[in-house]
Amino acid sequence: MKLLVRRGPTRDTLVVAVRGGAVSFRLSRASVLLTILAGAAAVAIATASLTLGVYPISVSDAITIVGGGGTLIERDVVLGDRLPRALTGLGVGAAFALSGAILQRIAANPLVSPDVIGINSGAAMGALIVLLIAGGSGPQLVVGALIGAIVAAMMIVLIAYRRGLHGFRLVLVGIGVAAMLSSAISYLLTRSDIHRAMSAAAWLTGSLANRSSMHATIIGIALIAAIPALVVGSRHLRLLELGDDLTRSLTGAGQGRKVALLLLAVVLAAMATAAAGPIGFVALVAPQITRRILAERQVALAPSAAVGALVVVGADLAGRLLFAPSEMPVGVLTAIMGAPVLLYLLARAHRIGAAG
């Protein structure tokens, strides 16, 4: 298999084709550049997070430790604590951002993201049922989050569907479902043992503290499994953005592609929630930052993933350093940053009379 790259129909695009196969796609130079810059910045911050903290370690020592050297204490600090935390942050940020970008493009509405419409709340509800009622953990928590997210998404789609999924109806129904699930979560916490409830409440803020290699593996596997589906599914997103009637007229395709992409967005949000809790506003903010930088109508997926990873690892490192010796959960900082963005999008939608 060999990749062929040539200039596209415009100066800003490249066409990438796989020799011997039928797969080809167009790339924007600006999107590629933003992906590289944001991805490099995210990796640089994640690398810096290995060296900074109560137990400072130089960059050269951190590289030596990752390569198998170092003392027992240094290996415990870097390999047992900081490295899984950094890898989980990179993966969770990318997964939330991809989920938000897919949903915003399907609904053609920048307000649609898994945390706003209740999918994250569904995943959290499922995980808490496993954690507080069934006493499960680890892989059981992942299954609980996945089932909770899928059930929440089915509720939203069934209630909001009326001759297609329309953006504002999806937002309004999703906000209602999210409020209902938040009430159920609060009730569940009040009926639980005080120590478990406190631990669960901390998890619900969204935190990368005490992440292990298991959490990094969970989100890593989810992203690796999602990439081939995204490569195929992204080709249909432009058509789906035209609306159900026009898409059906042009391609004859039904709702299958939209349901498949919706399920992919739900799974990514559920896996990210299972790995680090429902970190708020990353799925909303990262695609919109990308869209504003690139000045494009559509939200690009790869740059959104890189920006999402940058937002999460940056917020996590800031939460560790600015509030030392204690630390602020990453979910609190992303909420502080994301709330003004949500208000801006709502005000803009009110001003122009439509989202977008």
Side-chain angles (χ1 to χ4, degrees), residues 232-299:
V232 176
S234 62
R235 304 174 64 190
H236 307 301
L237 276 175
R238 286 183 181 273
L239 281 174
L240 293 175
E241 287 169 330
L242 299 175
D244 293 337
D245 294 337
L246 192 53
T247 302
R248 195 179 299 111
S249 301
L250 292 174
T251 66
Q255 294 291 314
R257 293 171 180 173
K258 180 177 285 188
V259 172
L261 285 165
L262 182 63
L263 181 62
L264 182 60
V266 170
V267 170
L268 283 170
M271 294 297 98
T273 302
I279 299 176
F281 291 105
V282 177
L284 175 74
V285 170
Q288 291 307 307
I289 292 175
T290 302
R291 186 182 172 193
R292 263 58 185 180
I293 292 176
L294 296 177
E296 292 182 349
R297 181 174 173 274
Q298 295 87 8
V299 178

Side-chain angles (χ1 to χ4, degrees), residues 107-317:
N109 191 317
L111 297 173
V112 178
S113 68
D115 44 353
V116 173
I117 67 172
I119 292 174
N120 285 7
S121 298
M125 183 71 189
L128 284 183
I129 289 175
V130 171
L131 186 68
L132 299 178
I133 297 178
S137 61
Q140 297 167 326
L141 203 69
V142 176
V143 175
L146 187 58
I147 293 174
I150 292 175
V151 170
M154 290 175 63
M155 288 175 57
I156 296 166
V157 170
L158 288 175
I159 297 172
Y161 190 86
R162 185 175 297 174
R163 296 182 180 178
L165 289 173
H166 302 286
F168 270 114
R169 188 183 299 135
L170 198 61
V171 171
L172 293 176
V173 171
I175 289 174
V177 171
M180 183 186 71
L181 289 170
S182 296
S183 300
I185 288 172
S186 299
Y187 175 77
L188 196 60
L189 291 175
T190 61
R191 306 298 297 175
S192 304
D193 174 76
I194 183 65
H195 300 291
R196 284 190 172 187
M198 289 177 64
S199 175
W203 178 79
L204 284 171
T205 61
S207 174
L208 291 174
N210 301 319
R211 298 301 93 180
S212 66
S213 57
M214 180 195 72
H215 300 98
T217 303
I218 288 172
I219 196 62
I221 291 175
L223 286 171
I224 291 172
I227 287 174
L230 276 174
V231 171
V232 176
S234 62
R235 304 174 64 190
H236 307 301
L237 276 175
R238 286 183 181 273
L239 281 174
L240 293 175
E241 287 169 330
L242 299 175
D244 293 337
D245 294 337
L246 192 53
T247 302
R248 195 179 299 111
S249 301
L250 292 174
T251 66
Q255 294 291 314
R257 293 171 180 173
K258 180 177 285 188
V259 172
L261 285 165
L262 182 63
L263 181 62
L264 182 60
V266 170
V267 170
L268 283 170
M271 294 297 98
T273 302
I279 299 176
F281 291 105
V282 177
L284 175 74
V285 170
Q288 291 307 307
I289 292 175
T290 302
R291 186 182 172 193
R292 263 58 185 180
I293 292 176
L294 296 177
E296 292 182 349
R297 181 174 173 274
Q298 295 87 8
V299 178
L301 296 182
S304 296
V307 171
L310 176 61
V311 167
V312 171
V313 295
D316 181 55
L317 184 59

